[in-house]
Amino acid sequence: MTDVASRRDVDERPAIIERVVTLDVNGRPYTLRLDTRVTLLDALRDRLGLVGTKKGCDQGACGACTVHVDGRRVLSCLTLAAQAEGRAITTVEGVSGPDGPHPVQQAFMEHDGFQCGFCTPGQIMSAVALLAEGRAGSDEEIREFMSGNLCRCGAYPNIVAAIREAASRGGRDAHL
């Protein structure tokens, strides 16, 4: 026989609360019926098929899931999809323009900043935000404002070089 602390422990399951949300992702609206507990990361990857955003630690510690919400970088694994309703969400799939890769993406290619590639989407999203924030004044500043994005491959010197070059090419005006 099993001890039961209360009848609630065995009789009641938490109700799943669903909500219809419209997410504006990369300039396109998507209307979804979601469990209110679904993270933005899972909505992007599992429901919208935008798998460029990576699921790393799923605890907000590695930065692999970084996306922009209203132009500011956020960790999508710590953001509920419902919280992003009505806001402009940009994923790595949305940063390149009709004229080609974003200057940060181009600089990553030129400086071999990709390494294994797993952390690269989050690194690029943080780098684009860093440039928009005007935080690329020195290598130390770049390292500080990229410190929430971890790279296990040791690409940091190449990533810093890529961001420095993107900043010199377009600076804060590098397009989002």
Side-chain angles (χ1 to χ4, degrees), residues 110-151:
E110 293 171 6
H111 288 273
D112 195 23
F114 290 115
Q115 297 294 313
C116 81
F118 191 80
C119 70
T120 303
Q123 299 273 3
I124 287 172
M125 296 306 289
S126 283
V128 169
L130 175 150
L131 292 174
E133 296 162 3
R135 304 287 187 183
S138 67
D139 287 359
E140 293 75 27
E141 189 175 35
I142 292 169
R143 284 188 187 95
E144 174 67 23
F145 284 90
M146 292 295 293
S147 63
N149 292 79
L150 303 179
C151 171

PDB file of all heavy atoms in Angstrom, residues 110-151:
ATOM      1  N   GLU A 110      34.171  34.241 -42.850  1.00  0.00           N
ATOM      2  CA  GLU A 110      35.520  34.663 -43.202  1.00  0.00           C
ATOM      3  C   GLU A 110      36.531  34.389 -42.099  1.00  0.00           C
ATOM      4  O   GLU A 110      37.709  34.194 -42.372  1.00  0.00           O
ATOM      5  CB  GLU A 110      35.515  36.151 -43.560  1.00  0.00           C
ATOM      6  CG  GLU A 110      34.742  36.436 -44.835  1.00  0.00           C
ATOM      7  CD  GLU A 110      34.526  37.912 -45.095  1.00  0.00           C
ATOM      8  OE1 GLU A 110      35.064  38.760 -44.340  1.00  0.00           O
ATOM      9  OE2 GLU A 110      33.800  38.228 -46.060  1.00  0.00           O
ATOM     10  N   HIS A 111      36.098  34.374 -40.854  1.00  0.00           N
ATOM     11  CA  HIS A 111      37.016  34.174 -39.722  1.00  0.00           C
ATOM     12  C   HIS A 111      36.897  32.789 -39.108  1.00  0.00           C
ATOM     13  O   HIS A 111      37.414  32.560 -38.019  1.00  0.00           O
ATOM     14  CB  HIS A 111      36.771  35.252 -38.657  1.00  0.00           C
ATOM     15  CG  HIS A 111      37.260  36.595 -39.086  1.00  0.00           C
ATOM     16  ND1 HIS A 111      38.558  37.021 -38.896  1.00  0.00           N
ATOM     17  CD2 HIS A 111      36.626  37.595 -39.744  1.00  0.00           C
ATOM     18  CE1 HIS A 111      38.700  38.229 -39.401  1.00  0.00           C
ATOM     19  NE2 HIS A 111      37.537  38.599 -39.925  1.00  0.00           N
ATOM     20  N   ASP A 112      36.230  31.875 -39.776  1.00  0.00           N
ATOM     21  CA  ASP A 112      36.073  30.503 -39.281  1.00  0.00           C
ATOM     22  C   ASP A 112      35.516  30.493 -37.860  1.00  0.00           C
ATOM     23  O   ASP A 112      36.003  29.803 -36.988  1.00  0.00           O
ATOM     24  CB  ASP A 112      37.408  29.756 -39.344  1.00  0.00           C
ATOM     25  CG  ASP A 112      37.242  28.254 -39.197  1.00  0.00           C
ATOM     26  OD1 ASP A 112      36.141  27.747 -39.484  1.00  0.00           O
ATOM     27  OD2 ASP A 112      38.217  27.586 -38.779  1.00  0.00           O
ATOM     28  N   GLY A 113      34.475  31.302 -37.671  1.00  0.00           N
ATOM     29  CA  GLY A 113      33.858  31.385 -36.347  1.00  0.00           C
ATOM     30  C   GLY A 113      32.808  30.316 -36.098  1.00  0.00           C
ATOM     31  O   GLY A 113      32.198  30.282 -35.043  1.00  0.00           O
ATOM     32  N   PHE A 114      32.604  29.426 -37.063  1.00  0.00           N
ATOM     33  CA  PHE A 114      31.539  28.425 -36.921  1.00  0.00           C
ATOM     34  C   PHE A 114      31.937  27.225 -36.078  1.00  0.00           C
ATOM     35  O   PHE A 114      31.148  26.709 -35.328  1.00  0.00           O
ATOM     36  CB  PHE A 114      31.080  27.926 -38.295  1.00  0.00           C
ATOM     37  CG  PHE A 114      30.342  28.961 -39.070  1.00  0.00           C
ATOM     38  CD1 PHE A 114      30.851  29.459 -40.245  1.00  0.00           C
ATOM     39  CD2 PHE A 114      29.139  29.460 -38.611  1.00  0.00           C
ATOM     40  CE1 PHE A 114      30.170  30.416 -40.958  1.00  0.00           C
ATOM     41  CE2 PHE A 114      28.445  30.419 -39.323  1.00  0.00           C
ATOM     42  CZ  PHE A 114      28.971  30.904 -40.497  1.00  0.00           C
ATOM     43  N   GLN A 115      33.140  26.749 -36.223  1.00  0.00           N
ATOM     44  CA  GLN A 115      33.596  25.527 -35.544  1.00  0.00           C
ATOM     45  C   GLN A 115      32.578  24.419 -35.739  1.00  0.00           C
ATOM     46  O   GLN A 115      32.184  24.164 -36.855  1.00  0.00           O
ATOM     47  CB  GLN A 115      33.896  25.813 -34.079  1.00  0.00           C
ATOM     48  CG  GLN A 115      35.026  26.806 -33.898  1.00  0.00           C
ATOM     49  CD  GLN A 115      36.362  26.297 -34.378  1.00  0.00           C
ATOM     50  OE1 GLN A 115      36.745  25.189 -34.066  1.00  0.00           O
ATOM     51  NE2 GLN A 115      37.079  27.096 -35.156  1.00  0.00           N
ATOM     52  N   CYS A 116      32.084  23.781 -34.686  1.00  0.00           N
ATOM     53  CA  CYS A 116      31.143  22.673 -34.871  1.00  0.00           C
ATOM     54  C   CYS A 116      29.778  23.170 -35.338  1.00  0.00           C
ATOM     55  O   CYS A 116      29.008  22.422 -35.924  1.00  0.00           O
ATOM     56  CB  CYS A 116      31.005  21.849 -33.603  1.00  0.00           C
ATOM     57  SG  CYS A 116      29.884  22.542 -32.360  1.00  0.00           S
ATOM     58  N   GLY A 117      29.447  24.421 -35.070  1.00  0.00           N
ATOM     59  CA  GLY A 117      28.211  25.007 -35.564  1.00  0.00           C
ATOM     60  C   GLY A 117      27.037  24.949 -34.614  1.00  0.00           C
ATOM     61  O   GLY A 117      26.029  25.612 -34.864  1.00  0.00           O
ATOM     62  N   PHE A 118      27.127  24.183 -33.545  1.00  0.00           N
ATOM     63  CA  PHE A 118      25.961  24.045 -32.673  1.00  0.00           C
ATOM     64  C   PHE A 118      25.603  25.361 -31.988  1.00  0.00           C
ATOM     65  O   PHE A 118      24.436  25.741 -31.932  1.00  0.00           O
ATOM     66  CB  PHE A 118      26.170  22.944 -31.630  1.00  0.00           C
ATOM     67  CG  PHE A 118      24.891  22.624 -30.919  1.00  0.00           C
ATOM     68  CD1 PHE A 118      23.941  21.802 -31.495  1.00  0.00           C
ATOM     69  CD2 PHE A 118      24.608  23.178 -29.688  1.00  0.00           C
ATOM     70  CE1 PHE A 118      22.746  21.531 -30.870  1.00  0.00           C
ATOM     71  CE2 PHE A 118      23.417  22.919 -29.040  1.00  0.00           C
ATOM     72  CZ  PHE A 118      22.486  22.085 -29.632  1.00  0.00           C
ATOM     73  N   CYS A 119      26.592  26.063 -31.490  1.00  0.00           N
ATOM     74  CA  CYS A 119      26.326  27.311 -30.783  1.00  0.00           C
ATOM     75  C   CYS A 119      26.209  28.502 -31.722  1.00  0.00           C
ATOM     76  O   CYS A 119      25.825  29.589 -31.306  1.00  0.00           O
ATOM     77  CB  CYS A 119      27.414  27.584 -29.757  1.00  0.00           C
ATOM     78  SG  CYS A 119      29.018  28.024 -30.486  1.00  0.00           S
ATOM     79  N   THR A 120      26.549  28.303 -32.991  1.00  0.00           N
ATOM     80  CA  THR A 120      26.666  29.411 -33.938  1.00  0.00           C
ATOM     81  C   THR A 120      25.391  30.250 -34.068  1.00  0.00           C
ATOM     82  O   THR A 120      25.485  31.487 -34.041  1.00  0.00           O
ATOM     83  CB  THR A 120      27.117  28.898 -35.315  1.00  0.00           C
ATOM     84  OG1 THR A 120      28.354  28.199 -35.147  1.00  0.00           O
ATOM     85  CG2 THR A 120      27.301  30.028 -36.294  1.00  0.00           C
ATOM     86  N   PRO A 121      24.207  29.675 -34.205  1.00  0.00           N
ATOM     87  CA  PRO A 121      23.024  30.549 -34.318  1.00  0.00           C
ATOM     88  C   PRO A 121      22.868  31.488 -33.122  1.00  0.00           C
ATOM     89  O   PRO A 121      22.578  32.679 -33.305  1.00  0.00           O
ATOM     90  CB  PRO A 121      21.864  29.554 -34.415  1.00  0.00           C
ATOM     91  CG  PRO A 121      22.474  28.315 -34.976  1.00  0.00           C
ATOM     92  CD  PRO A 121      23.858  28.263 -34.375  1.00  0.00           C
ATOM     93  N   GLY A 122      23.065  30.971 -31.922  1.00  0.00           N
ATOM     94  CA  GLY A 122      22.968  31.817 -30.730  1.00  0.00           C
ATOM     95  C   GLY A 122      24.069  32.859 -30.702  1.00  0.00           C
ATOM     96  O   GLY A 122      23.840  34.014 -30.316  1.00  0.00           O
ATOM     97  N   GLN A 123      25.272  32.456 -31.113  1.00  0.00           N
ATOM     98  CA  GLN A 123      26.388  33.414 -31.165  1.00  0.00           C
ATOM     99  C   GLN A 123      26.076  34.539 -32.151  1.00  0.00           C
ATOM    100  O   GLN A 123      26.308  35.713 -31.865  1.00  0.00           O
ATOM    101  CB  GLN A 123      27.683  32.694 -31.592  1.00  0.00           C
ATOM    102  CG  GLN A 123      28.135  31.602 -30.660  1.00  0.00           C
ATOM    103  CD  GLN A 123      29.010  32.097 -29.524  1.00  0.00           C
ATOM    104  OE1 GLN A 123      29.249  33.288 -29.384  1.00  0.00           O
ATOM    105  NE2 GLN A 123      29.488  31.177 -28.709  1.00  0.00           N
ATOM    106  N   ILE A 124      25.561  34.175 -33.306  1.00  0.00           N
ATOM    107  CA  ILE A 124      25.248  35.187 -34.324  1.00  0.00           C
ATOM    108  C   ILE A 124      24.143  36.120 -33.828  1.00  0.00           C
ATOM    109  O   ILE A 124      24.242  37.344 -33.973  1.00  0.00           O
ATOM    110  CB  ILE A 124      24.870  34.512 -35.663  1.00  0.00           C
ATOM    111  CG1 ILE A 124      26.146  33.936 -36.293  1.00  0.00           C
ATOM    112  CG2 ILE A 124      24.166  35.488 -36.608  1.00  0.00           C
ATOM    113  CD1 ILE A 124      25.925  33.087 -37.514  1.00  0.00           C
ATOM    114  N   MET A 125      23.117  35.575 -33.220  1.00  0.00           N
ATOM    115  CA  MET A 125      22.034  36.428 -32.734  1.00  0.00           C
ATOM    116  C   MET A 125      22.528  37.384 -31.649  1.00  0.00           C
ATOM    117  O   MET A 125      22.158  38.557 -31.627  1.00  0.00           O
ATOM    118  CB  MET A 125      20.876  35.569 -32.214  1.00  0.00           C
ATOM    119  CG  MET A 125      20.221  34.714 -33.285  1.00  0.00           C
ATOM    120  SD  MET A 125      19.672  35.632 -34.741  1.00  0.00           S
ATOM    121  CE  MET A 125      18.287  36.540 -34.053  1.00  0.00           C
ATOM    122  N   SER A 126      23.385  36.904 -30.766  1.00  0.00           N
ATOM    123  CA  SER A 126      23.938  37.796 -29.741  1.00  0.00           C
ATOM    124  C   SER A 126      24.870  38.828 -30.358  1.00  0.00           C
ATOM    125  O   SER A 126      24.868  39.993 -29.953  1.00  0.00           O
ATOM    126  CB  SER A 126      24.686  36.988 -28.674  1.00  0.00           C
ATOM    127  OG  SER A 126      23.762  36.384 -27.812  1.00  0.00           O
ATOM    128  N   ALA A 127      25.656  38.414 -31.345  1.00  0.00           N
ATOM    129  CA  ALA A 127      26.583  39.350 -31.994  1.00  0.00           C
ATOM    130  C   ALA A 127      25.820  40.454 -32.724  1.00  0.00           C
ATOM    131  O   ALA A 127      26.208  41.625 -32.664  1.00  0.00           O
ATOM    132  CB  ALA A 127      27.505  38.599 -32.952  1.00  0.00           C
ATOM    133  N   VAL A 128      24.737  40.094 -33.406  1.00  0.00           N
ATOM    134  CA  VAL A 128      23.940  41.104 -34.107  1.00  0.00           C
ATOM    135  C   VAL A 128      23.358  42.096 -33.088  1.00  0.00           C
ATOM    136  O   VAL A 128      23.405  43.317 -33.296  1.00  0.00           O
ATOM    137  CB  VAL A 128      22.827  40.429 -34.941  1.00  0.00           C
ATOM    138  CG1 VAL A 128      21.833  41.454 -35.459  1.00  0.00           C
ATOM    139  CG2 VAL A 128      23.434  39.638 -36.103  1.00  0.00           C
ATOM    140  N   ALA A 129      22.865  41.586 -31.970  1.00  0.00           N
ATOM    141  CA  ALA A 129      22.321  42.464 -30.932  1.00  0.00           C
ATOM    142  C   ALA A 129      23.417  43.320 -30.311  1.00  0.00           C
ATOM    143  O   ALA A 129      23.225  44.520 -30.071  1.00  0.00           O
ATOM    144  CB  ALA A 129      21.621  41.632 -29.855  1.00  0.00           C
ATOM    145  N   LEU A 130      24.559  42.728 -30.087  1.00  0.00           N
ATOM    146  CA  LEU A 130      25.694  43.453 -29.526  1.00  0.00           C
ATOM    147  C   LEU A 130      26.061  44.656 -30.406  1.00  0.00           C
ATOM    148  O   LEU A 130      26.302  45.751 -29.909  1.00  0.00           O
ATOM    149  CB  LEU A 130      26.863  42.463 -29.406  1.00  0.00           C
ATOM    150  CG  LEU A 130      28.229  42.915 -28.969  1.00  0.00           C
ATOM    151  CD1 LEU A 130      28.935  41.783 -28.259  1.00  0.00           C
ATOM    152  CD2 LEU A 130      29.077  43.372 -30.118  1.00  0.00           C
ATOM    153  N   LEU A 131      26.080  44.442 -31.714  1.00  0.00           N
ATOM    154  CA  LEU A 131      26.387  45.546 -32.629  1.00  0.00           C
ATOM    155  C   LEU A 131      25.302  46.624 -32.551  1.00  0.00           C
ATOM    156  O   LEU A 131      25.602  47.813 -32.532  1.00  0.00           O
ATOM    157  CB  LEU A 131      26.524  45.031 -34.058  1.00  0.00           C
ATOM    158  CG  LEU A 131      27.733  44.136 -34.319  1.00  0.00           C
ATOM    159  CD1 LEU A 131      27.679  43.584 -35.726  1.00  0.00           C
ATOM    160  CD2 LEU A 131      29.032  44.873 -34.081  1.00  0.00           C
ATOM    161  N   ALA A 132      24.048  46.197 -32.523  1.00  0.00           N
ATOM    162  CA  ALA A 132      22.948  47.166 -32.444  1.00  0.00           C
ATOM    163  C   ALA A 132      22.984  47.958 -31.145  1.00  0.00           C
ATOM    164  O   ALA A 132      22.570  49.108 -31.095  1.00  0.00           O
ATOM    165  CB  ALA A 132      21.613  46.438 -32.594  1.00  0.00           C
ATOM    166  N   GLU A 133      23.499  47.320 -30.089  1.00  0.00           N
ATOM    167  CA  GLU A 133      23.605  47.978 -28.788  1.00  0.00           C
ATOM    168  C   GLU A 133      24.842  48.876 -28.702  1.00  0.00           C
ATOM    169  O   GLU A 133      25.042  49.558 -27.699  1.00  0.00           O
ATOM    170  CB  GLU A 133      23.688  46.918 -27.675  1.00  0.00           C
ATOM    171  CG  GLU A 133      22.437  46.070 -27.553  1.00  0.00           C
ATOM    172  CD  GLU A 133      22.688  44.777 -26.777  1.00  0.00           C
ATOM    173  OE1 GLU A 133      23.812  44.548 -26.280  1.00  0.00           O
ATOM    174  OE2 GLU A 133      21.745  43.970 -26.709  1.00  0.00           O
ATOM    175  N   GLY A 134      25.712  48.824 -29.714  1.00  0.00           N
ATOM    176  CA  GLY A 134      26.944  49.614 -29.686  1.00  0.00           C
ATOM    177  C   GLY A 134      27.947  49.094 -28.677  1.00  0.00           C
ATOM    178  O   GLY A 134      28.666  49.868 -28.040  1.00  0.00           O
ATOM    179  N   ARG A 135      28.003  47.773 -28.537  1.00  0.00           N
ATOM    180  CA  ARG A 135      28.876  47.147 -27.540  1.00  0.00           C
ATOM    181  C   ARG A 135      30.091  46.457 -28.148  1.00  0.00           C
ATOM    182  O   ARG A 135      30.577  45.475 -27.601  1.00  0.00           O
ATOM    183  CB  ARG A 135      28.085  46.109 -26.747  1.00  0.00           C
ATOM    184  CG  ARG A 135      26.858  46.622 -26.074  1.00  0.00           C
ATOM    185  CD  ARG A 135      27.213  47.468 -24.896  1.00  0.00           C
ATOM    186  NE  ARG A 135      25.998  47.814 -24.170  1.00  0.00           N
ATOM    187  CZ  ARG A 135      25.986  48.589 -23.131  1.00  0.00           C
ATOM    188  NH1 ARG A 135      27.096  49.104 -22.666  1.00  0.00           N
ATOM    189  NH2 ARG A 135      24.861  48.862 -22.531  1.00  0.00           N
ATOM    190  N   ALA A 136      30.584  46.958 -29.266  1.00  0.00           N
ATOM    191  CA  ALA A 136      31.742  46.332 -29.908  1.00  0.00           C
ATOM    192  C   ALA A 136      32.936  47.285 -29.943  1.00  0.00           C
ATOM    193  O   ALA A 136      33.703  47.302 -30.894  1.00  0.00           O
ATOM    194  CB  ALA A 136      31.378  45.872 -31.322  1.00  0.00           C
ATOM    195  N   GLY A 137      33.109  48.043 -28.878  1.00  0.00           N
ATOM    196  CA  GLY A 137      34.181  49.028 -28.843  1.00  0.00           C
ATOM    197  C   GLY A 137      35.573  48.457 -28.684  1.00  0.00           C
ATOM    198  O   GLY A 137      36.551  49.076 -29.079  1.00  0.00           O
ATOM    199  N   SER A 138      35.663  47.270 -28.127  1.00  0.00           N
ATOM    200  CA  SER A 138      36.969  46.631 -27.928  1.00  0.00           C
ATOM    201  C   SER A 138      36.750  45.125 -27.831  1.00  0.00           C
ATOM    202  O   SER A 138      35.626  44.653 -27.639  1.00  0.00           O
ATOM    203  CB  SER A 138      37.624  47.127 -26.632  1.00  0.00           C
ATOM    204  OG  SER A 138      36.870  46.678 -25.518  1.00  0.00           O
ATOM    205  N   ASP A 139      37.837  44.375 -27.931  1.00  0.00           N
ATOM    206  CA  ASP A 139      37.725  42.922 -27.786  1.00  0.00           C
ATOM    207  C   ASP A 139      37.203  42.554 -26.399  1.00  0.00           C
ATOM    208  O   ASP A 139      36.415  41.624 -26.255  1.00  0.00           O
ATOM    209  CB  ASP A 139      39.077  42.249 -28.020  1.00  0.00           C
ATOM    210  CG  ASP A 139      39.481  42.239 -29.489  1.00  0.00           C
ATOM    211  OD1 ASP A 139      38.690  42.741 -30.330  1.00  0.00           O
ATOM    212  OD2 ASP A 139      40.581  41.741 -29.799  1.00  0.00           O
ATOM    213  N   GLU A 140      37.626  43.290 -25.387  1.00  0.00           N
ATOM    214  CA  GLU A 140      37.172  43.010 -24.028  1.00  0.00           C
ATOM    215  C   GLU A 140      35.662  43.242 -23.908  1.00  0.00           C
ATOM    216  O   GLU A 140      34.957  42.469 -23.271  1.00  0.00           O
ATOM    217  CB  GLU A 140      37.923  43.879 -23.008  1.00  0.00           C
ATOM    218  CG  GLU A 140      39.389  43.548 -22.880  1.00  0.00           C
ATOM    219  CD  GLU A 140      40.250  44.030 -24.046  1.00  0.00           C
ATOM    220  OE1 GLU A 140      39.876  45.031 -24.717  1.00  0.00           O
ATOM    221  OE2 GLU A 140      41.268  43.371 -24.324  1.00  0.00           O
ATOM    222  N   GLU A 141      35.200  44.326 -24.520  1.00  0.00           N
ATOM    223  CA  GLU A 141      33.767  44.606 -24.476  1.00  0.00           C
ATOM    224  C   GLU A 141      32.982  43.524 -25.230  1.00  0.00           C
ATOM    225  O   GLU A 141      31.939  43.063 -24.770  1.00  0.00           O
ATOM    226  CB  GLU A 141      33.471  45.984 -25.070  1.00  0.00           C
ATOM    227  CG  GLU A 141      32.031  46.428 -24.866  1.00  0.00           C
ATOM    228  CD  GLU A 141      31.776  47.842 -25.345  1.00  0.00           C
ATOM    229  OE1 GLU A 141      32.382  48.284 -26.354  1.00  0.00           O
ATOM    230  OE2 GLU A 141      30.964  48.523 -24.704  1.00  0.00           O
ATOM    231  N   ILE A 142      33.490  43.113 -26.384  1.00  0.00           N
ATOM    232  CA  ILE A 142      32.835  42.041 -27.148  1.00  0.00           C
ATOM    233  C   ILE A 142      32.771  40.780 -26.299  1.00  0.00           C
ATOM    234  O   ILE A 142      31.725  40.145 -26.192  1.00  0.00           O
ATOM    235  CB  ILE A 142      33.579  41.778 -28.478  1.00  0.00           C
ATOM    236  CG1 ILE A 142      33.417  42.976 -29.422  1.00  0.00           C
ATOM    237  CG2 ILE A 142      33.082  40.483 -29.129  1.00  0.00           C
ATOM    238  CD1 ILE A 142      34.327  42.928 -30.649  1.00  0.00           C
ATOM    239  N   ARG A 143      33.885  40.399 -25.675  1.00  0.00           N
ATOM    240  CA  ARG A 143      33.899  39.192 -24.834  1.00  0.00           C
ATOM    241  C   ARG A 143      32.882  39.302 -23.690  1.00  0.00           C
ATOM    242  O   ARG A 143      32.182  38.348 -23.373  1.00  0.00           O
ATOM    243  CB  ARG A 143      35.291  38.940 -24.282  1.00  0.00           C
ATOM    244  CG  ARG A 143      36.227  38.381 -25.293  1.00  0.00           C
ATOM    245  CD  ARG A 143      37.561  37.953 -24.644  1.00  0.00           C
ATOM    246  NE  ARG A 143      38.502  37.567 -25.663  1.00  0.00           N
ATOM    247  CZ  ARG A 143      39.423  38.387 -26.189  1.00  0.00           C
ATOM    248  NH1 ARG A 143      39.563  39.613 -25.725  1.00  0.00           N
ATOM    249  NH2 ARG A 143      40.221  37.966 -27.145  1.00  0.00           N
ATOM    250  N   GLU A 144      32.827  40.467 -23.063  1.00  0.00           N
ATOM    251  CA  GLU A 144      31.900  40.667 -21.949  1.00  0.00           C
ATOM    252  C   GLU A 144      30.456  40.489 -22.393  1.00  0.00           C
ATOM    253  O   GLU A 144      29.681  39.798 -21.747  1.00  0.00           O
ATOM    254  CB  GLU A 144      32.101  42.066 -21.342  1.00  0.00           C
ATOM    255  CG  GLU A 144      31.095  42.433 -20.268  1.00  0.00           C
ATOM    256  CD  GLU A 144      31.215  41.592 -19.011  1.00  0.00           C
ATOM    257  OE1 GLU A 144      32.283  41.025 -18.754  1.00  0.00           O
ATOM    258  OE2 GLU A 144      30.207  41.501 -18.279  1.00  0.00           O
ATOM    259  N   PHE A 145      30.097  41.095 -23.525  1.00  0.00           N
ATOM    260  CA  PHE A 145      28.699  41.048 -23.956  1.00  0.00           C
ATOM    261  C   PHE A 145      28.356  39.776 -24.736  1.00  0.00           C
ATOM    262  O   PHE A 145      27.214  39.546 -25.068  1.00  0.00           O
ATOM    263  CB  PHE A 145      28.328  42.317 -24.719  1.00  0.00           C
ATOM    264  CG  PHE A 145      28.131  43.471 -23.777  1.00  0.00           C
ATOM    265  CD1 PHE A 145      29.193  44.287 -23.424  1.00  0.00           C
ATOM    266  CD2 PHE A 145      26.895  43.701 -23.202  1.00  0.00           C
ATOM    267  CE1 PHE A 145      29.029  45.322 -22.522  1.00  0.00           C
ATOM    268  CE2 PHE A 145      26.719  44.723 -22.296  1.00  0.00           C
ATOM    269  CZ  PHE A 145      27.790  45.540 -21.944  1.00  0.00           C
ATOM    270  N   MET A 146      29.359  38.961 -25.008  1.00  0.00           N
ATOM    271  CA  MET A 146      29.117  37.631 -25.590  1.00  0.00           C
ATOM    272  C   MET A 146      29.259  36.541 -24.535  1.00  0.00           C
ATOM    273  O   MET A 146      29.122  35.362 -24.852  1.00  0.00           O
ATOM    274  CB  MET A 146      30.103  37.364 -26.740  1.00  0.00           C
ATOM    275  CG  MET A 146      29.886  38.240 -27.963  1.00  0.00           C
ATOM    276  SD  MET A 146      28.306  37.937 -28.799  1.00  0.00           S
ATOM    277  CE  MET A 146      28.567  36.280 -29.433  1.00  0.00           C
ATOM    278  N   SER A 147      29.502  36.905 -23.295  1.00  0.00           N
ATOM    279  CA  SER A 147      29.817  35.910 -22.267  1.00  0.00           C
ATOM    280  C   SER A 147      28.653  34.982 -21.945  1.00  0.00           C
ATOM    281  O   SER A 147      28.865  33.905 -21.397  1.00  0.00           O
ATOM    282  CB  SER A 147      30.314  36.591 -20.992  1.00  0.00           C
ATOM    283  OG  SER A 147      29.286  37.402 -20.442  1.00  0.00           O
ATOM    284  N   GLY A 148      27.441  35.336 -22.296  1.00  0.00           N
ATOM    285  CA  GLY A 148      26.301  34.452 -22.065  1.00  0.00           C
ATOM    286  C   GLY A 148      26.154  33.362 -23.103  1.00  0.00           C
ATOM    287  O   GLY A 148      25.293  32.502 -22.985  1.00  0.00           O
ATOM    288  N   ASN A 149      26.999  33.394 -24.117  1.00  0.00           N
ATOM    289  CA  ASN A 149      26.969  32.384 -25.166  1.00  0.00           C
ATOM    290  C   ASN A 149      28.229  31.537 -25.068  1.00  0.00           C
ATOM    291  O   ASN A 149      29.334  32.031 -25.240  1.00  0.00           O
ATOM    292  CB  ASN A 149      26.894  33.044 -26.550  1.00  0.00           C
ATOM    293  CG  ASN A 149      25.577  33.741 -26.763  1.00  0.00           C
ATOM    294  OD1 ASN A 149      25.387  34.846 -26.258  1.00  0.00           O
ATOM    295  ND2 ASN A 149      24.672  33.110 -27.446  1.00  0.00           N
ATOM    296  N   LEU A 150      28.042  30.269 -24.811  1.00  0.00           N
ATOM    297  CA  LEU A 150      29.180  29.387 -24.611  1.00  0.00           C
ATOM    298  C   LEU A 150      29.529  28.636 -25.885  1.00  0.00           C
ATOM    299  O   LEU A 150      28.663  28.226 -26.637  1.00  0.00           O
ATOM    300  CB  LEU A 150      28.866  28.383 -23.506  1.00  0.00           C
ATOM    301  CG  LEU A 150      28.479  28.994 -22.163  1.00  0.00           C
ATOM    302  CD1 LEU A 150      28.178  27.894 -21.164  1.00  0.00           C
ATOM    303  CD2 LEU A 150      29.556  29.922 -21.652  1.00  0.00           C
ATOM    304  N   CYS A 151      30.828  28.464 -26.094  1.00  0.00           N
ATOM    305  CA  CYS A 151      31.342  27.685 -27.222  1.00  0.00           C
ATOM    306  C   CYS A 151      32.294  26.650 -26.661  1.00  0.00           C
ATOM    307  O   CYS A 151      33.290  26.994 -26.043  1.00  0.00           O
ATOM    308  CB  CYS A 151      32.067  28.595 -28.211  1.00  0.00           C
ATOM    309  SG  CYS A 151      32.959  27.689 -29.490  1.00  0.00           S
TER     310      CYS A 151
END
